[in-house]
Amino acid sequence: MPMQLLGEQARTLLEEERDLLQRLLDLLRRLGGDEEVVGPLSEMVEQLDELFLLVIVGEFNAGKSTVVNALFRDTVMEQGPVPTTAKITLIRHGTSPLNQQISEFLEEKRIDNPLLQNLTIVDTPGTNSIVQQHQRITEDFIPRSDLVLFVTSFDRPLTESERQFLSYIREDWGRRLVVVLNKADLADSESDLETVETYLKTNLSELLGTEPTIFPVSAKKAFDARRDGREQEELWHESRFQALESFLTETLSGPERLALKLAAPLETARTRIRRLEDHLEERRELLTKDERTLQELRDQVDASQDRLIQSYQRPIQRIDERLVRMKARGIRFLEDTIRASVSKIQLMRDRERLKATFRDRVIADLERDIQDAVDDAVDALMAQTTNLRAGLVQTFSQRVHEVQESGRPELDRSFDYDRSDVVRATLREAEASLEEHDLQAETGRMMENAHDAVQTFLGTGAGAAGIGLIGGLLLVLAPVLDVLGGFGLATGAVLAILGASVLPRQRKKAIREFSEHVDGLREGVRASLESALESDVDDTLERVWATVEPYETFISNERATVNAASEEVNDLREAVTRLEQRIEETVGSPGV
Ligand SMILES: Nc1nc2c(ncn2[C@@H]2O[C@H](COP(=O)(O)OP(=O)(O)O)[C@@H](O)[C@H]2O)c(=O)[nH]1
Ligand SMILES: [Mg+2]
């Protein structure tokens, strides 16, 4: 049915089908549609406006060629040759008969018969052909066909190879079928024939999803009744061929043919859309599992925050204990030093010696102790971090494994979508990032931060920046010296009046101020160290999370792809329905 033979309306509809199928093709390609599947579909789109094509399929020896011969009342086709010499035959219209070889497996015959106006018939060797090429070429004709005539025989109704071929015709291409139950003459009785017919109807309904039209015939009798201009009415009647012939003549000419021609591509679109939906649903299910895994990993990371923070609490506590002990030593030192028997002049004069003694006796090993504790805090944090990383990768690989093992649905072969490859690659990347992760560098950086925090606080917290830990600690003496320094302003006379009795009060004040100062240090050191380490924890968690980032990216990309594809599929499905309705209104729906 070349374009010029189609009416204006039909041509428009066919063009719309072409656009619609093109969109479907693009989508299939985007989703990794296998070229072996997409290719034939694309060819089908290109050949939409070709002549109406009727393909005859069935097992070798079922009587396909005999049906053709009976239809044309002539030996167009050789009947019953050996399968190896058989060819796929295109039967076309020609004013003078022609027989030509197209290739090793394909031949063309032209006969002058009005039935062949705008129609090509393809006779095939058999669904059980032992020649591989036959199967392939026959399959290649299916996408271009408008109607399939399935011939099966009474003695071997619906063989396994026929079943397989029919599911290819229906599931891949959604082609309509007319069923011929041939060799009806082999039935011993009418009821035997009915039994086989029922068997066929039941099985085909299940296989095709619709109840097929079945014509029980004896092609052999029909051919014998009509060949060489014979008119053996009784034999013709017995052959039951008339019903099939009328049906075919009706279908293959006029509006019914047009209706079929327009319906066929949309049927294909429907089958592909259905498969695409199944495929997307499977991808969505896998994706849900992936998202669950990701959430589990997220929970694991979140839950570890507390554990990481706990990890360095003990060393921080130790720093506090050291400071408390230092406070006790300091108080004793002040009590011993500021005694009634010691004159303030003596104290003032011995200012430097006082500092040195304070350093030896009160500060003692405090600096080293604090530094050790800071080191321990960072080490503890790092140990926990390493655990976390390892645990995360373990959970990850375990879940990925589980998803692959248990939940892997049989994804449609026609999509080149090997998700397990993607996930495995992601896992490898995560593991590599764990191995490459530079523990020493990270520890070093954290150490520096933590020491800085303590140092800075002890320095500035005590009133002056950049004087080091010892310098900072020595500043705790400042309030004491200030208290004592108060006397420095007093005159000898005042001092005489106040006498020794004032000293205990000054001592009390000095001790109180010293205690308060150390308590301030305790609080400050803890706070600044904690805040430094907490920000390390945040950084760490972020970096650890980055390990699974490729997986996260994969999931969100996949989600976007699947969602966009689903939307497009919905649009396409609706477009098919709309177009089908318009075709039905314009040319009617096929009766087959
Ligand atoms: N008994 C009987 N034999 C038939 C009938 N139709 C075809 N045959 C025979 O079955 C064999 C195969 O027929 P053919 O048309 O070549 O089958 P094809 O391989 O499907 O093309 C031939 O020997 C035919 O004579 C029929 O209706 N009844
Ligand atoms: Mg044949």
Side-chain angles (χ1 to χ4, degrees), residues 508-548:
K508 222 169 163 186
K509 193 176 175 212
I511 287 174
R512 196 178 64 237
E513 291 197 4
F514 169 75
S515 291
E516 276 167 7
H517 189 84
V518 174
D519 285 344
L521 275 188
R522 287 172 55 201
E523 207 172 295
V525 166
R526 175 187 287 275
S528 64
L529 191 53
E530 266 178 350
S531 108
L533 289 171
E534 261 168 42
S535 92
D536 279 340
V537 166
D538 289 346
D539 286 356
T540 295
L541 291 177
E542 225 166 86
R543 258 195 308 279
V544 167
W545 187 245
T547 312
V548 292

Side-chain angles (χ1 to χ4, degrees), residues 93 123 236:
H93 185 261
D123 187 19
W236 178 253

Side-chain angles (χ1 to χ4, degrees), residues 338-397:
I338 312 171
R339 290 193 315 267
S341 55
V342 181
S343 79
K344 79 114 197 171
I345 292 154
Q346 207 175 333
L347 279 175
M348 296 309 288
R349 200 178 50 227
D350 290 348
R351 205 183 167 96
E352 283 314 308
R353 204 164 55 86
L354 197 65
K355 270 192 193 175
T357 319
F358 181 82
R359 181 186 308 199
D360 287 349
R361 281 213 257 145
V362 179
I363 296 178
D365 290 332
L366 188 64
E367 183 183 18
R368 218 195 50 230
D369 287 349
I370 288 180
Q371 264 159 2
D372 284 353
V374 169
D375 286 354
D376 288 352
V378 172
D379 283 344
L381 176 58
M382 282 314 293
Q384 269 306 324
T385 303
T386 306
N387 279 348
L388 168 64
R389 266 178 203 277
L392 208 61
V393 169
Q394 202 193 349
T395 307
F396 185 30
S397 65

Side-chain angles (χ1 to χ4, degrees), residues 453-465:
V454 173
Q455 196 92 329
T456 306
F457 178 80
L458 285 178
T460 57

Side-chain angles (χ1 to χ4, degrees), residues 59-66 78-81 125 182-183 185-186 217-220:
E59 201 159 82
F60 172 74
N61 242 340
K64 298 179 292 297
S65 297
T66 310
E78 217 180 318
Q79 286 171 214
N182 193 31
K183 306 195 186 181
D185 54 289
L186 294 181
V217 301
S218 169
K220 193 170 155 183

Side-chain angles (χ1 to χ4, degrees), residues 85-151:
T85 61
K87 289 195 170 55
I88 290 164
T89 311
L90 297 174
I91 306 164
R92 292 191 160 129
H93 185 261
T95 40
S96 51
L98 177 87
N99 232 337
Q100 71 171 357
Q101 195 81 2
I102 295 177
S103 73
E104 194 185 340
F105 306 101
L106 197 64
E107 63 179 359
E108 181 185 340
K109 287 179 195 269
R110 290 188 184 245
I111 48 176
D112 191 8
N113 189 301
L115 188 63
L116 291 172
Q117 295 285 352
N118 311 321
L119 167 75
T120 302
I121 293 178
V122 182
D123 187 19
T124 62
T127 51
N128 57 335
S129 176
I130 48 174
V131 184
Q132 279 287 313
Q133 288 288 340
H134 285 156
Q135 173 87 6
R136 211 184 55 72
I137 299 172
T138 305
E139 281 185 10
D140 283 352
F141 274 110
I142 296 303
R144 296 161 54 186
S145 70
D146 299 288
L147 185 65
V148 175
L149 193 67
F150 169 55
V151 180

